[in-house]
Amino acid sequence: MAVIHHTTLSPSKVELLHAWLPGRAWFRGGDILDLVRAGGFRLDDPAGEVGMEFYLVTDTGTGTTYHVPMAYRGAPLDGADDALIGTTEHGVLGRRWVYDGARDPVLAEQALELLAGRAQAQDQDVSSAPAAPVYLVPAEVGTPISLRINRIPVEDGEPDGRRGLVGCSWRTPEGGVRRGILLEAVAVPGRT
């Protein structure tokens, strides 16, 4: 299980996203971007090398919540310069390279393990604790799947019998709670 270090991070995750997010094709923001942390969860790397977080931030100006999977590494990831969100200084671990998790192979593999019901979502703030606001409807056993990341959570309330979903609750800036699907298993065509 990953250890959560309660320390400084400079620049912060929100500061990194403030600079990176407006350049994404799926960004819905306006002229002024005001991001606040809304929620999310972590996954463990069995090798203990890559930090993985499914991070939710809300733009208070537009009310849009963004889902940004982030992979934290102690060294640059070869061939992923265009996926780099930025670098930050961690008070315990030193320099961290923060990548868009959609392009990180360790994060993608563990997200598929979660969708298959073989990994557990972890709390963002407490070491070795399950993430309470996360719900999972595992994919069918033996179904070959690929990963779909919903950059804007699909707010549908209940999974309605669908399989292969990971959803999460998050806080709104006004103090309310929303819920939506962050990850989906997509069947690979032509494979059984």
Side-chain angles (χ1 to χ4, degrees):
M1 297 287 178
V3 174
I4 305 298
H5 299 281
H6 296 281
T7 186
T8 60
L9 197 64
S10 182
S12 70
K13 297 168 194 175
V14 169
E15 289 169 330
L16 287 173
L17 292 176
H18 196 274
W20 179 80
L21 196 57
R24 306 305 103 200
W26 38 268
F27 177 66
R28 294 183 181 172
D31 296 336
I32 298 173
L33 181 61
D34 182 24
L35 297 176
V36 295
R37 177 181 170 194
F41 63 93
R42 298 180 69 87
L43 287 178
D44 287 333
D45 174 7
E49 295 295 320
V50 179
M52 296 174 276
E53 188 168 18
F54 296 80
Y55 201 73
L56 293 166
V57 291
T58 298
D59 178 358
T60 63
T62 64
T64 302
T65 297
Y66 296 98
H67 168 222
V68 183
M70 293 191 283
Y72 310 105
R73 292 177 163 267
L77 176 61
D78 289 340
D81 292 347
D82 60 337
L84 183 68
I85 293 173
T87 59
T88 189
E89 291 297 325
H90 188 281
V92 174
L93 302 173
R95 175 150 298 173
R96 300 280 104 185
W97 282 258
V98 182
Y99 288 94
D100 179 2
R103 293 278 310 283
D104 190 286
V106 174
L107 186 140
E109 179 181 328
Q110 290 309 303
L112 288 170
E113 288 293 300
L114 178 63
L115 282 162
R118 295 186 295 262
Q120 184 175 34
Q122 299 292 312
D123 191 274
Q124 285 178 298
D125 300 312
V126 180
S127 298
S128 304
V134 173
Y135 59 94
L136 166 69
V137 181
E140 297 269 342
V141 175
T143 303
I145 57 175
S146 64
L147 175 65
R148 176 183 306 150
I149 296 171
N150 295 325
R151 299 300 192 146
I152 310 294
V154 177
E155 295 186 56
D156 72 345
E158 297 297 324
D160 297 328
R162 291 179 289 155
R163 300 192 60 82
L165 306 172
V166 174
C168 184
S169 299
W170 65 89
R171 295 173 309 280
T172 67
E174 302 79 28
V177 176
R178 307 288 292 264
R179 174 177 149 140
I181 298 168
L182 306 182
L183 303 172
E184 297 182 62
V186 180
V188 178
R191 293 181 61 195
T192 57

